[in-house]
Amino acid sequence: DAEITQSPRHKITETGRQVTLACHQTWNHNNMFWYRQDLGHGLRLIHYSYGVHDTNKGEVSDGYSVSRSNTEDLPLTLESAASSQTSVYFCASRTGGENGELFFGEGSRLTVL
Amino acid sequence: AQSVTQLDSQVPVFEEAPVELRCNYSSSVSVYLFWYVQYPNQGLQLLLKYLSGSTLVKGINGFEAEFNKSQTSFHLRKPSVHISDTAEYFCAVRRSGYSTLTFGKGTMLLVSP
């Protein structure tokens, strides 16, 4: 079955370190998204991509970057991790068009000490 | 830009009782509406969606929602809840012609025996 996987599922890091969260989908979806989930804030969009070499900033993009070198992967990089970036991160993907359903990964819990 | 307001952060209810989770949205353009469910330590799963047509939408697990354009609402209902419905529920809106979803802050449904 096609799926979307995130790794690592849990990570603890220190302030200032670079961290990359991986997201891989096997549906061949063009559209991929990264959200962060925080208590009291719901899900907020970080970055998204409509296809290879396309990236766009979302609502809370400061301190994050993404790259899209192929259809399957959209890694999220924290260049210099901050305690405010402690959160649960969700990757999602969907087909284009008006009816495409959004599918989510299981999430990556990041703790920045 | 569109926004979503979920009026209740937490809704406690007894098993087999009816429940309504409220969602209001604001947008000056045509939108699509969604409800997602998140069980503990899992990603989000689509419950139901309104794209067009009948304003009463039926989803999985016995849930339904009604799109009310005049009141800009999309409330989620279930006539009789089970313990297994305990989860967080998110309302989301997507602008017609766009791929990004804007989520509400979520409503925690707590079903007790």
Side-chain angles (χ1 to χ4, degrees):
Chain A
D1 283 344
E3 60 182 3
I4 180 167
T5 54
Q6 295 183 229
S7 63
R9 295 292 311 280
H10 301 273
K11 183 165 182 69
I12 300 174
T13 190
E14 295 177 343
T15 301
R17 290 191 180 266
Q18 184 182 79
V19 176
T20 296
L21 305 179
C23 175
H24 179 81
Q25 52 95 5
T26 59
W27 283 297
N28 205 36
H29 287 164
N30 286 324
N31 300 340
M32 295 185 72
F33 309 83
W34 274 104
Y35 287 89
R36 61 177 288 176
Q37 183 179 21
D38 304 286
L39 197 63
H41 291 279
L43 280 84
R44 292 179 292 175
L45 184 63
I46 305 172
H47 281 287
Y48 58 102
S49 168
Y50 289 144
V52 176
H53 302 311
D54 175 74
T55 61
N56 305 280
K57 293 182 179 180
E59 178 188 356
V60 290
S61 61
D62 286 350
Y64 303 94
S65 64
V66 292
S67 61
R68 188 88 180 270
S69 58
N70 59 53
T71 301
E72 296 80 16
D73 299 289
L74 186 70
L76 178 71
T77 297
L78 288 68
E79 299 292 345
S80 177
S83 57
S84 60
Q85 294 176 307
T86 292
S87 186
V88 181
Y89 292 86
F90 286 98
C91 181
S93 71
R94 68 183 290 268
T95 56
E98 297 293 71
N99 294 331
E101 179 180 339
L102 191 64
F103 292 92
F104 283 84
E106 296 278 295
S108 295
R109 182 176 294 276
L110 176 67
T111 302
V112 183
L113 301 176
Chain B
Q2 59 274 10
S3 66
V4 179
T5 301
Q6 291 185 243
L7 296 161
D8 304 297
S9 60
Q10 195 166 299
V11 173
V13 64
F14 290 108
E15 193 174 20
E16 298 183 7
V19 70
E20 179 181 82
L21 305 184
R22 296 179 294 169
C23 173
N24 287 88
Y25 70 93
S26 66
S27 177
S28 58
V29 296
S30 178
V31 296
Y32 304 126
L33 294 155
F34 305 82
W35 276 99
Y36 283 83
V37 60
Q38 183 182 33
Y39 299 104
N41 300 312
Q42 294 187 24
L44 278 73
Q45 176 184 354
L46 182 66
L47 263 182
L48 48 80
K49 61 185 176 184
Y50 172 77
L51 301 181
S52 64
S54 172
T55 57
L56 183 62
V57 180
K58 294 189 183 299
I60 61 172
N61 301 339
F63 283 93
E64 63 180 33
E66 186 156 19
F67 171 58
N68 188 319
K69 189 174 182 178
S70 62
Q71 296 187 4
T72 60
S73 68
F74 191 55
H75 301 332
L76 181 70
R77 302 184 183 99
K78 187 170 182 177
S80 175
V81 295
H82 302 290
I83 296 285
S84 59
D85 291 324
T86 294
E88 189 148 27
Y89 293 79
F90 292 93
C91 183
V93 62
R94 176 162 61 85
R95 183 176 169 181
S96 177
Y98 289 77
S99 278
T100 59
L101 264 69
T102 299
F103 286 85
K105 294 184 178 181
T107 297
M108 186 68 202
L109 177 62
L110 298 166
V111 182
S112 54

